[in-house]
């Protein structure tokens, strides 16, 4: 299945720095406010990993964009993390951080926050080092392909994480369900899917470009994931407060989902 030409053309204008500024700097990334959306997302991931049930050799992050907050907690539970994205500008943004390049996005407040959840904030530099060591690959992916990592071939992985990907790049729900099946083919039976996504969103901005989003509701997300061969273990929602509606999207809420492949 091919992605639409419109989606391809629009995403060529995606600006990683603008996206990071809009979503991963204050006011949305306010670590002094526990009710803010970014700390909420970090707590969701940390809670899933804290049980010790999700672990293994490899975690694959699908549609990483220019972000890596979603795998901070994972680096304590996996030997290898693979990041992936369709756009080279996003992959290069991740590599800049991995290399420690000047001008790379500063993820240290995120790492400090995650460490602080375990009362180990003073050990954040150790976690930062471990995260850099554990992220061993940043590769191309296209979730519209039967093998989203083509031409790379991975053995089925122990866990997959994906954030704001499916609803952002699929032109409709039928395409979204096919893309979810493509992603799921990379996951071992019994493996875990960790997903964050937008609810009732129709667009977001990343610089000069306005990107279309397929609006989803909670019932549809649960049904689509269950039909794809998963048992949903956790489903949480965060309602976006008025003060975080800053004109860069029209998202109403964010969901977090943990599911196990049957």
């Amino acid at each position: 299945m091919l992605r639409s030409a419109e989606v391809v053309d629009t995403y060529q204008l995606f600006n990683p720095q603008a996206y990071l500024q809009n979503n991963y700097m204050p006011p949305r990334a306010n670590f002094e406010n526990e009710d803010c959306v970014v700390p909420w997302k970090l707590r969701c991931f940390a809670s899933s990993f804290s049980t010790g049930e999700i672990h293994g050799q490899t975690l694959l992050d699908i549609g990483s964009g220019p972000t890596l907050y979603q795998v901070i907690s994972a680096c304590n539970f996996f030997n290898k993390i693979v990041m992936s994205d369709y756009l080279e500008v996003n992959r290069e943004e991740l590599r800049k951080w991995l290399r420690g390049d000047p001008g790379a996005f500063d993820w240290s407040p995120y790492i400090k926050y995650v460490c602080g959840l375990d009362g180990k904030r003073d050990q954040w530099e150790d976690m930062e080092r471990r995260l850099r060591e554990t992220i061993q690959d940043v590769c191309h992916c296209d979730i519209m392909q039967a093998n989203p990592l083509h031409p790379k071939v991975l053995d089925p992985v122990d866990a997959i994480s994906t954030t704001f990907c499916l609803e952002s790049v699929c032109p409709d729900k039928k395409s979204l369900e096919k893309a979810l099946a493509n992603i799921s083919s990379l996951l071992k039976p019994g493996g875990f899917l960790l997903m964050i996504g937008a609810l009732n969103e129709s667009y977001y901005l990343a610089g000069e470009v306005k990107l279309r989003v397929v609006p989803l509701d909670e019932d549809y997300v649960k049904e689509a994931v269950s039909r794809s061969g998963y048992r949903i273990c956790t489903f949480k929602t965060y309602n976006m407060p008025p003060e975080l509606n800053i004109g860069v999207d029209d998202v109403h809420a964010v969901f977090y989902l943990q599911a196990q492949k049957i």
Side-chain angles (χ1 to χ4, degrees):
M1 183 176 66
L2 298 175
R3 65 177 59 235
S4 72
E6 179 185 0
V7 172
V8 172
D9 290 345
T10 304
Y11 266 89
Q12 298 312 310
L13 302 173
F14 184 95
N15 182 325
Q17 289 75 31
Y19 177 77
L20 290 167
Q21 178 66 43
N22 291 346
N23 295 285
Y24 297 100
M25 296 287 286
R28 290 186 169 180
N30 179 1
F31 294 103
E32 303 302 317
N33 181 0
E34 291 292 315
D35 295 329
C36 197
V37 62
V38 164
W40 178 84
K41 290 189 286 186
L42 292 173
R43 290 197 303 275
C44 285
F45 281 114
S47 178
S48 286
F49 287 109
S50 69
T51 66
E53 187 178 13
I54 306 174
H55 61 88
Q57 174 62 29
T58 304
L59 178 139
L60 170 63
D61 189 63
I62 289 282
S64 307
T67 72
L68 50 79
Y69 71 91
Q70 62 271 28
V71 299
I72 294 172
S73 292
C75 74
N76 286 325
F77 298 93
F78 289 88
N79 297 324
K80 178 181 180 180
I81 295 173
V82 177
M83 311 295 286
S84 66
D85 199 74
Y86 184 77
L87 293 176
E88 171 59 22
V89 289
N90 284 338
R91 299 195 298 271
E92 180 57 21
E93 190 67 33
L94 295 173
R95 293 188 200 107
K96 283 165 59 177
W97 183 84
L98 290 170
R99 294 190 302 254
D101 288 1
F105 190 79
D106 181 13
W107 293 107
S108 63
Y110 289 71
I111 299 169
K112 291 174 184 177
Y113 182 81
V114 172
C115 288
L117 295 174
D118 291 331
K120 299 177 180 178
R121 183 180 169 88
D122 61 338
Q123 299 178 28
W124 72 271
E125 289 176 306
D126 292 335
M127 176 171 265
E128 183 180 67
R129 190 178 309 110
R130 186 160 57 251
L131 184 60
R132 281 197 167 98
E133 292 170 352
T134 308
I135 298 175
Q136 296 178 20
D137 198 2
V138 179
C139 63
H140 177 270
C141 79
D142 183 347
I143 62 173
M144 300 302 187
Q145 302 301 317
N147 172 13
L149 302 182
H150 179 79
K152 180 185 290 291
V153 176
L154 281 186
D155 291 334
V157 299
D158 303 286
I160 288 176
S161 56
T162 184
T163 55
F164 303 107
C165 175
L166 292 169
E167 70 275 24
S168 298
V169 302
C170 295
D172 51 46
K173 288 180 177 178
K174 182 178 179 180
S175 300
L176 185 152
E177 290 164 23
K178 178 61 176 174
L180 180 56
N182 293 340
I183 291 170
S184 299
S185 70
L186 302 172
L187 182 63
K188 289 179 179 177
F192 285 90
L193 173 69
L194 306 175
M195 182 188 303
I196 282 182
L199 294 174
N200 300 308
E201 181 180 37
S202 67
Y203 80 91
Y204 73 98
L205 305 179
E208 299 299 316
V209 64
K210 184 176 183 179
L211 297 143
R212 181 179 173 273
V213 178
V214 178
L216 307 177
D217 61 42
E218 180 176 335
D219 288 342
Y220 172 77
V221 173
K222 290 178 177 177
E223 290 169 8
V225 171
S226 296
R227 286 197 306 266
S228 296
Y230 290 92
R231 176 180 64 87
I232 296 175
C233 309
T234 301
F235 195 99
K236 303 175 182 179
T237 58
Y238 174 93
N239 293 316
M240 195 68 75
E243 63 268 22
L244 296 185
N245 290 324
I246 55 176
V248 298
D249 54 41
D250 63 350
V251 64
H252 289 71
V254 177
F255 72 85
Y256 175 81
L257 176 150
Q258 175 188 326
Q260 187 170 27
K261 186 175 179 181
I262 300 170

